[in-house]
Amino acid sequence: MTPWSIAPRGLPKLLHPLLLVLKALIQFFMLLWFLCVRVSSPDVFLVQNPPSIPTLVAVKLASSLRKSAFIVDWHNFGYTLLGLSLGRSSRFVSVYHWFEKYFGKMANGALCVTQAMQHELAQNWGIKATVLYDQPPEFFNPTSLDEKHKLFYRLDKNLCQPLGIQDCINNGIGSPHTDETLFTTQSGTAVFLKPNRPALVVSSTSWTPDENFGILLEAAVMYDRRVAAILNEDDSTSEEILWKEISDEKQCLYPRLLFIITGKGPEKEKYEEKIRRLRLKHVAFRTMWLSAEDYPLLLGSADLGVCLHTSSSGLDLPMKVVDMFGCGLPVCAVSYSCIEELVKVEKNGLLFSSSSELADELLMLFKGFPDQCDSLKLLRNGALATGSSARWATEWEEHAKPLISEVISQYTN
């Protein structure tokens, strides 16, 4: 988070710049004290950017005082993040950009998260960086049937409480039986997925303006209307019938969709209110905050992930998609300049630029769910292959460790 990313409330606007500069100075001296006094002298300081101010300045000074090497791990550009709130033309953004570039060039080495960022750093910043792709932690992996059953039982109350009125998933009453959930049933020690279960779509969001959640809502409405049109439904269809268990062969062409949206953020309540007013027949939404233990299990239990991340610089990749692939979950992601370094179209996921494109993808992927959706199965196999092809330890050994060893060797000689 940048020092200027959150404006203080209850103060005159003229005092905001002064207070923010004061905040940066306090952070600078706190960092310098910690790096120079509280920790043992290291061979190298490895700092993730952003935030750039005061971090890069403090680490550069500490590395000089302690005669240590200095490496920057570029995950994005701080000035582009600041530009989201202040505008790219802001004088603060220009100053921030200068500091970030000046002190970034003073590092003894650099890592970055994409080839596109590597090119930008080389061409316009004069920085030679090694690409180190983010990889999922070891605990992000596919979820077993037994784990799915236990997870859905723990989440039963959340899943059975609609946002607003009753919807196509449940009428607000949870299952009283430990051997049955919305998605699974248990017979003895064996767990089975229900054939008439809804398709589960997961999206993780920070509920901020840089992630346009409206695209997902519009796509859900389009899916709902198109399925209704295919089923020749009209407004006179009673709500009681809509909640009945799906059995008609024609209806089985397209499943009910349950979107679980995880995360916290400033725009959450605004979109929850919009969801309450939708009155959809074939789509339902749940918002929740999951524990660090349950989040990977949910990703591994879902049928599809949706990523609404749009990079402030256009040069970084969403970690949430990396985690989804680690769990073998295929993804539909917003398209931008370098996303195809991660999402391989028609191999482990699909890209979209509008709500109508996302709706088309949902219809295509879930037609014939759960047994006859070959396109979705193909993407799942690709996601599993992507998630298992490399892990953090492997990526670090192959790319980061040689650079760090080289920088330390050059700096000490």
Side-chain angles (χ1 to χ4, degrees):
M1 183 177 292
T2 64
W4 298 311
S5 59
I6 299 178
R9 295 181 179 181
L11 290 173
K13 289 186 177 180
L14 290 176
L15 294 180
H16 286 180
L18 179 62
L19 189 59
L20 291 170
V21 171
L22 180 62
K23 178 182 177 181
L25 286 173
I26 293 172
Q27 290 176 337
F28 170 77
F29 287 113
M30 288 177 63
L31 271 173
L32 201 60
W33 165 259
F34 185 85
L35 296 174
C36 292
V37 178
R38 297 298 301 274
V39 299
S40 302
S41 181
D43 293 323
V44 60
F45 284 104
L46 176 61
V47 56
Q48 180 177 303
N49 183 76
S52 311
I53 298 176
T55 313
L56 293 183
V57 186
V59 175
K60 174 55 187 174
L61 181 56
S63 68
S64 298
L65 292 173
R66 310 206 71 174
K67 302 186 184 307
S68 302
F70 169 34
I71 295 176
V72 178
D73 182 13
W74 296 86
H75 276 237
N76 202 348
F77 295 134
Y79 83 95
T80 63
L81 289 171
L82 185 61
L84 291 176
S85 56
L86 299 183
R88 287 290 185 95
S89 60
S90 167
R91 189 170 299 176
F92 272 128
V93 174
S94 298
V95 171
Y96 200 101
H97 186 192
W98 183 88
F99 268 94
E100 187 171 25
K101 185 174 182 178
Y102 180 80
F103 284 95
K105 290 175 67 174
M106 296 179 73
N108 304 108
L111 298 164
C112 64
V113 292
T114 64
Q115 294 180 27
M117 184 177 288
Q118 181 188 48
H119 179 76
E120 168 69 14
L121 288 169
Q123 292 293 111
N124 298 319
W125 294 58
I127 296 172
K128 181 182 178 181
T130 298
V131 177
L132 177 68
Y133 285 116
D134 281 323
Q135 299 295 338
E138 294 298 329
F139 52 85
F140 280 89
N141 45 57
T143 306
S144 69
L145 276 174
D146 186 60
E147 289 173 324
K148 289 180 183 180
H149 183 73
K150 292 177 181 177
L151 172 70
F152 291 136
Y153 184 73
R154 288 197 299 274
L155 299 180
D156 189 66
K157 289 184 178 179
N158 300 87
L159 297 176
C160 294
Q161 294 297 325
L163 285 170
I165 63 168
Q166 297 175 348
D167 56 30
C168 66
I169 295 302
N170 207 289
N171 60 5
I173 302 175
S175 172
H177 305 294
T178 59
D179 60 351
E180 186 172 352
T181 72
L182 180 62
F183 297 92
T184 60
T185 184
Q186 186 172 11
S187 177
T189 58
V191 176
F192 305 94
L193 290 171
K194 290 182 175 179
N196 65 334
R197 67 187 182 276
L200 178 56
V201 184
V202 174
S203 183
S204 175
T205 178
S206 55
W207 301 100
T208 51
D210 60 319
E211 289 190 347
N212 187 359
F213 188 74
I215 291 179
L216 182 56
L217 286 189
E218 292 170 5
V221 172
M222 291 178 186
Y223 177 92
D224 191 77
R225 290 175 178 173
R226 292 178 193 179
V227 171
I230 292 169
L231 303 179
N232 295 320
E233 292 177 354
D234 57 47
D235 294 336
S236 64
T237 306
S238 72
E239 292 185 354
E240 181 181 357
I241 293 175
L242 294 177
W243 296 328
K244 285 184 177 180
E245 190 174 288
I246 294 175
S247 59
D248 184 85
E249 182 179 352
K250 188 177 180 182
Q251 288 185 315
C252 288
L253 284 173
Y254 294 98
R256 297 164 293 163
L257 296 187
L258 174 58
F259 288 91
I260 294 183
I261 315 300
T262 69
K264 296 179 180 179
E267 295 197 333
K268 181 180 179 181
E269 291 184 3
K270 179 183 80 172
Y271 280 109
E272 284 182 332
E273 182 57 34
K274 288 185 177 182
I275 291 170
R276 290 187 185 98
R277 298 196 299 263
L278 289 179
R279 301 292 296 266
L280 302 177
K281 298 178 179 180
H282 304 280
V283 179
F285 285 86
R286 302 290 185 269
T287 59
M288 61 183 69
W289 176 259
L290 294 172
S291 67
E293 295 77 20
D294 281 348
Y295 179 63
L297 294 175
L298 178 65
L299 295 186
S301 302
D303 299 296
L304 182 70
V306 173
C307 176
L308 303 170
H309 172 86
T310 53
S311 168
S312 64
S313 64
L315 300 172
D316 72 316
L317 296 172
M319 188 64 200
K320 65 189 73 176
V321 173
V322 174
D323 294 337
M324 288 175 181
F325 287 160
C327 295
L329 181 63
V331 173
C332 289
V334 172
S335 179
Y336 62 92
S337 57
C338 68
I339 188 65
E340 290 190 52
E341 289 190 40
L342 178 60
V343 179
K344 310 300 181 182
V345 177
E346 297 184 356
K347 292 184 179 179
N348 56 20
L350 298 173
L351 302 176
F352 60 89
S353 299
S354 65
S355 54
S356 60
E357 286 184 8
L358 177 56
D360 289 339
E361 291 170 359
L362 294 174
L363 286 163
M364 183 269 292
L365 291 174
F366 288 118
K367 183 177 181 180
F369 182 87
D371 298 321
Q372 304 300 320
C373 44
D374 294 337
S375 296
L376 183 61
K377 292 176 182 178
L378 182 65
L379 294 185
R380 176 170 287 280
N381 291 336
L384 285 167
T386 301
S388 61
S389 61
R391 288 287 173 163
W392 178 247
T394 305
E395 189 76 8
W396 178 270
E397 289 290 330
E398 291 183 359
H399 302 286
K401 189 175 180 180
L403 172 69
I404 294 173
S405 298
E406 180 183 352
V407 167
I408 293 174
S409 176
Q410 293 176 351
Y411 193 79
T412 55
N413 290 338

